[in-house]
Amino acid sequence: MEKDILIIGSGVVGSATGKGFVTKGHRVVFYDTDRDVLNKLSKEGLRVCEDYDLGNFDVSMVCVSTPVADGSIDLSFFDDAIEKLGTKLAVVSSHHLVVVRSTVLPGTTEERVIPMLERCSGKKVRDDFDACFNPEFLRESRAGEDFIHPWVIAIGTYDQASVMMLDSLYRPFEAEIIYDGTRVIEMAKYVHNLFNATKISFFNEIYTVCQSLGIDGDAVSSLVAKSAEGLWNPEYGIKGGSPYGGTCLPKDTRAFRGFARQHNLNHILLDAVIRVNEEMG
């Protein structure tokens, strides 16, 4: 069944999200405070607005940027969007679903978004509106394609109404949909990015070590991508609470750390790996 969807924040994520839902026949309108963004979308034949009436939509998706300032997340743009949304929600008679797609820290939806919406609207979550967290797993250069062909869809919610609405929206994309509490999904989004950052950092460090030893680092990494179970088995090593054991891992991590120190090679991540394992044990 076609839905009316409002995209709040129409940058890379919002644009890919809205365009993806258009392909499934939904009626989508893009909102942004940047007129250049709206002009670009309008020239592509998409519907845009410089203000919105929430009563015209079934779902609003908040895709506003949450940058970092002075080492911490900056929610100023995000808060402005949520407060405006809450004010608009105050005069809506129908039951509306607010979907947070911006990347936010664990607890934000329950402890910040919902209280702000309730305060600005004078309404109560579940009784008068629903709210959930639905992160994006999009590569910036291929965001549109990734939205249309997702490998997984995650939704943090605690009410059946939002589950039913989002299930109807996402089921046509034919990907696995995982539902859990908002905190779990908020945390998973960050861990998703932290893992990618850690993997890149690990292989960068290995590349530097290989260069110092006169070894082809790219050849080493290419082989490891095929040989290491941690790369080809998605279930390997993801059960938390237990240190690594067995014969090889404890022995070889310490042996290579000793080798690196003998050759005055920095291997910061390896030091951290061994420390985490020892503290866990």
Side-chain angles (χ1 to χ4, degrees):
M1 182 178 177
E2 294 180 359
K3 299 296 182 182
D4 290 292
I5 302 172
L6 173 66
I7 303 296
I8 300 176
S10 301
V12 173
V13 173
S15 176
T17 299
K19 290 178 181 179
F21 283 126
V22 168
T23 66
K24 301 303 180 183
H26 297 290
R27 295 176 292 271
V28 177
V29 176
F30 296 87
Y31 167 78
D32 201 284
T33 57
D34 187 334
R35 289 188 177 183
D36 290 338
V37 170
L38 297 183
N39 288 337
K40 181 177 181 296
L41 292 169
S42 181
K43 289 178 180 178
E44 295 176 26
L46 297 163
R47 298 169 61 198
V48 303
C49 65
E50 295 185 8
D51 199 0
Y52 58 87
D53 179 352
L54 212 54
N56 295 327
F57 301 97
D58 303 300
V59 183
S60 55
M61 295 198 161
V62 182
C63 306
V64 177
S65 175
T66 53
V68 170
D70 298 325
S72 298
I73 189 170
D74 179 1
L75 292 176
S76 55
F77 303 112
F78 181 79
D79 285 349
D80 287 346
I82 296 298
E83 287 183 350
K84 179 172 183 176
L85 183 58
T87 301
K88 299 283 189 179
L89 191 61
V91 296
V92 174
S93 58
S94 58
H95 204 86
H96 188 80
L97 172 60
V98 177
V99 180
V100 176
R101 279 180 66 72
S102 302
T103 299
V104 293
L105 291 164
T108 301
T109 302
E110 289 186 17
E111 298 172 8
R112 193 183 193 98
V113 174
I114 291 175
M116 288 175 67
L117 290 174
E118 290 183 330
R119 173 174 55 81
C120 294
S121 69
K123 296 185 175 183
K124 297 294 292 183
V125 70
R126 291 194 182 96
D127 294 337
D128 306 305
F129 68 93
D130 295 308
C132 65
F133 178 68
N134 168 221
E136 48 84 14
F137 300 121
L138 307 175
R139 293 167 292 181
E140 186 172 352
S141 61
R142 303 178 64 179
E145 180 181 343
D146 287 347
F147 186 88
I148 293 174
H149 302 289
W151 46 90
V152 66
I153 295 166
I155 299 169
T157 184
Y158 50 84
D159 61 83
Q160 190 60 30
S162 57
V163 168
M164 293 175 62
M165 172 68 79
L166 288 174
D167 192 78
S168 69
L169 289 177
Y170 280 119
R171 191 60 59 187
F173 291 93
E174 298 181 343
E176 179 183 9
I177 303 176
I178 296 175
Y179 292 97
D180 213 311
T182 56
R183 290 171 179 265
V184 170
I185 304 300
E186 287 166 336
M187 184 66 179
K189 166 59 181 178
Y190 264 95
V191 173
H192 166 97
N193 286 342
L194 297 178
F195 175 75
N196 284 340
T198 301
K199 179 179 177 180
I200 291 169
S201 300
F202 175 80
F203 280 101
N204 275 333
E205 192 169 87
I206 290 298
Y207 182 82
T208 301
V209 169
C210 286
Q211 278 191 315
S212 300
L213 297 172
I215 297 171
D216 185 344
D218 289 332
V220 169
S221 297
S222 294
L223 174 56
V224 171
K226 297 180 175 64
S227 67
E229 187 177 356
L231 288 172
W232 53 259
N233 178 3
E235 299 299 320
Y236 180 86
I238 66 169
K239 183 179 180 181
S242 301
Y244 57 69
T247 303
C248 296
L249 299 186
K251 172 179 71 71
D252 291 347
T253 51
R254 291 185 175 87
F256 198 84
R257 180 175 64 177
F259 173 80
R261 288 175 175 175
Q262 290 171 6
H263 289 78
N264 296 315
L265 301 174
N266 287 325
H267 210 332
I268 301 170
L269 271 177
L270 181 59
D271 289 338
V273 165
I274 293 171
R275 180 179 175 182
V276 167
N277 192 70
E278 289 176 343
E279 291 181 354
M280 183 68 69

